[in-house]
């Protein structure tokens, strides 16, 4: 194993790791927004919205994320959507993971005993007040861990945007392999950095989950 | 009881079906202000459905429910209906078999959530209200506990305080003591007796015949979606006319003594 080479190139990998982190953060934020919107559509009183929410979930979970990304980045310009690679990566991955998060959020909400909603409505709270003050605070605690699983998948999924040339960890490894012919070292380096990012995120989620426990 | 003879709570020809299953078959029930009515009957006879129809939690498929001069189950466009029913429900307290306390809120939080949101009380007013209501049910010393730290009987007393905090005109109890260990039933019954002494109007679905006899003005026996027989507790429990009532009570006593 060429340790010298690894020592020489690792600063560039650190830079790439930072891109991966940024990509992950923006994607997670967009994913959560799409998930919240998707879940409220899936749970809506209106059949049209329920249908749209269900369609969103089945389309984006039912096709490869890579194809979605390609359609957006390469196909986008054809229909007037001009995005740079990073933007396309965030939007493509965010909308994709949002479909999974939709189901996570919806699942946590419907897992709350329906007696909770009844008790709140019986006191005179409106449907939205009951949701905001009674259901969501409980569901939010339930969804931390499964959302953590989604975020874990999302971080690993950012490797896909190497295919549209975003200079993140996977793309950087590939590029250095091109000039060094040392795939083992280069992929090992990026793998270790992915692991650190994922481990750190996992710990943060565990911490949040512990803090949010109901007495 | 007052001598006011117009009904306070008036259920007229209540009907409820789930598909082909007729759960309530044309039930009428008038409750006067300050009156306490017990509903007894076998499981599945429609007691909960009738009780839950009163605040339109399970809307009827036919018939009307009135509280004083206001129809509760009005047919209105969605938005108007929601506004109307939220207003109505503030006047009707409900206590459930499984308490349904909000586990993420303290005892104080449970009691003050609705008054704070719906009546715009200040924090100080909320605290005073919570203290008052919790004192009434003997739970003042647990005001900063969370539901998971309470026994079943304590939870149910907090649930009663939560309902009372909205100053309801009527209280509905759906088997409030059925989920409790036998030794915890009495503390909840005592709270309900206290409400009875304060002339709270109450409709109580219960399996506690002794309790019903002691506090209720009237007893309804329901079976298969109809009111089979009704009358004062002395008559209903000592010598009911109807054979089905007799059989139910006989069976119930046999079970209770086993
Ligand atoms: N949501 C529902 N869908 C279909 N049937 C129901 C529903 N809720 C209650 N029922 C039926 O209505 C009948 C009366 O139920 P309920 O009012 O809960 O009886 P009780 O409280 O006297 O035990 C039962 O046969 C029950 O199975
Ligand atoms: Mg019942």
């Amino acid at each position: 194993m060429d340790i010298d080479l690894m020592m020489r190139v690792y600063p560039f990998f650190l830079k790439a790791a930072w891109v991966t982190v940024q990509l992950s953060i923006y994607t997670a934020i967009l994913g959560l927004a799409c998930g919240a919107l998707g879940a409220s559509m899936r749970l809506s009183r209106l059949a049209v919205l329920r249908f749209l929410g269900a369609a969103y979930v089945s389309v984006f979970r039912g096709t490869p994320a890579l194809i979605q990304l390609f359609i957006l980045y390469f196909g986008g310009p054809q229909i007037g959507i001009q995005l740079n690679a990073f933007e396309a990566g965030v939007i493509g991955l965010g909308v994709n993971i949002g479909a999974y998060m939709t189901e996570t959020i919806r699942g946590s909400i419907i897992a709350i005993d329906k007696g909770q909603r009844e008790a709140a409505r019986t006191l005179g709270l409106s449907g939205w007040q009951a949701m905001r003050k009674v259901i969501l605070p409980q569901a939010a605690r339930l969804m931390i861990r499964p959302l953590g699983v989604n975020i874990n998948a999302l971080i690993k999924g950012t490797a896909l945007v190497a295919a549209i040339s975003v200079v993140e960890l996977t793309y950087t490894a590939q590029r250095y392999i091109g000039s060094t012919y040392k795939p083992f070292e280069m992929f090992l380096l990026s793998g270790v950095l992915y692991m650190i990012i994922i481990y750190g995120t996992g710990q943060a989620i565990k911490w949040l989950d512990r803090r949010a426990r109901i007495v | 009881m007052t001598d006011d003879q117009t009904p306070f709570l008036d259920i007229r020809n209540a009907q409820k079906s789930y598909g082909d299953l007729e759960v309530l078959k044309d039930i009428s029930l008038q409750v006067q202000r300050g009156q306490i009515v017990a509903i007894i009957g076998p499981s599945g006879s429609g007691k909960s459905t009738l009780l839950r129809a009163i605040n339109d939690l399970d809307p009827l498929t036919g018939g009307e429910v009135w509280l004083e001069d206001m129809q509760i189950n009005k047919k209105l466009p969605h938005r108007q209906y929601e506004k109307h029913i939220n207003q109505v429900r503030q006047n009707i307290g409900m206590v459930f078999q499984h308490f349904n306390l909000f586990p993420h809120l303290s005892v104080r939080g449970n009691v003050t959530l609705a008054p704070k949101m719906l009546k715009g009380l200040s924090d100080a007013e909320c605290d005073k209200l919570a203290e008052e209501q919790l004192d009434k049910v003997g739970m003042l010393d647990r005001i900063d506990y969370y539901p998971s730290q309470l026994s079943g009987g304590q939870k149910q007393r907090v649930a009663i305080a939560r309902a009372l905090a909205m100053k309801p005109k009527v209280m509905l109890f759906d088997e409030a003591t059925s989920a409790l260990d036998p030794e915890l039933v009495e503390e909840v019954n005592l709270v309900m007796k206290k409400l009875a002494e304060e002339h709270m109007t109450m409709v109580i679905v219960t399996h506690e015949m002794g309790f019903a006899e002691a506090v209720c003005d009237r007893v309804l026996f329901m079976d298969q979606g109809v009111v089979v027989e009704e009358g004062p507790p002395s008559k209903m429990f000592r010598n009911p006319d109807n054979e089905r009532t007799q059989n139910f009570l006989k069976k119930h006593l046999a079970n209770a003594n086993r």
Side-chain angles (χ1 to χ4, degrees), chain B residues 47-48 174-175:
Chain B
K47 305 182 298 295
S48 297
D174 193 357
E175 300 196 28

Side-chain angles (χ1 to χ4, degrees), chain B residues 151-154 157 177 179-190 208:
Chain B
S151 73
Q154 293 174 327
R157 287 189 280 150
T177 55
L180 297 178
D181 292 335
E183 71 272 20
L184 302 179
V185 168
E186 197 48 32
E187 62 186 64
V188 174
N189 281 347
L190 279 175
E208 304 258 338

Side-chain angles (χ1 to χ4, degrees), chain B residues 7-8 12 66-72 74 169:
Chain B
F8 188 58
R12 304 176 189 162
W66 290 74
L67 180 64
E68 296 182 293
D69 51 2
M70 177 173 55
Q71 188 184 351
I72 293 173
K74 263 197 272 195
K169 295 176 178 167

Side-chain angles (χ1 to χ4, degrees), chain A residues 45 113-116 118-127 129 132-134 137-138 141 214-215, chain B residues 52 55 57 78 82 86 89 92 94 96 100-104 113-114 117-118 146 148-149 162 166:
Chain A
R45 206 171 52 79
D113 180 42
K114 78 181 196 340
Q116 291 289 307
E118 284 183 354
R121 294 303 310 265
T122 300
L123 288 164
L125 267 64
S126 71
Q129 287 172 326
R132 193 159 56 89
K133 291 290 186 176
V134 175
Q138 296 180 58
R141 292 168 165 96
I214 296 175
V215 190
Chain B
R52 292 157 60 87
N55 61 16
L57 215 49
H78 180 74
E82 285 294 312
N86 294 336
R89 284 178 180 152
I92 305 175
M94 183 146 190
F96 303 87
N100 299 351
L101 288 183
F102 306 134
H104 60 300
L113 176 69
M117 294 198 78
L118 303 174
Y146 278 79
S148 61
Q149 301 168 314
R162 176 176 70 178
M166 288 304 287

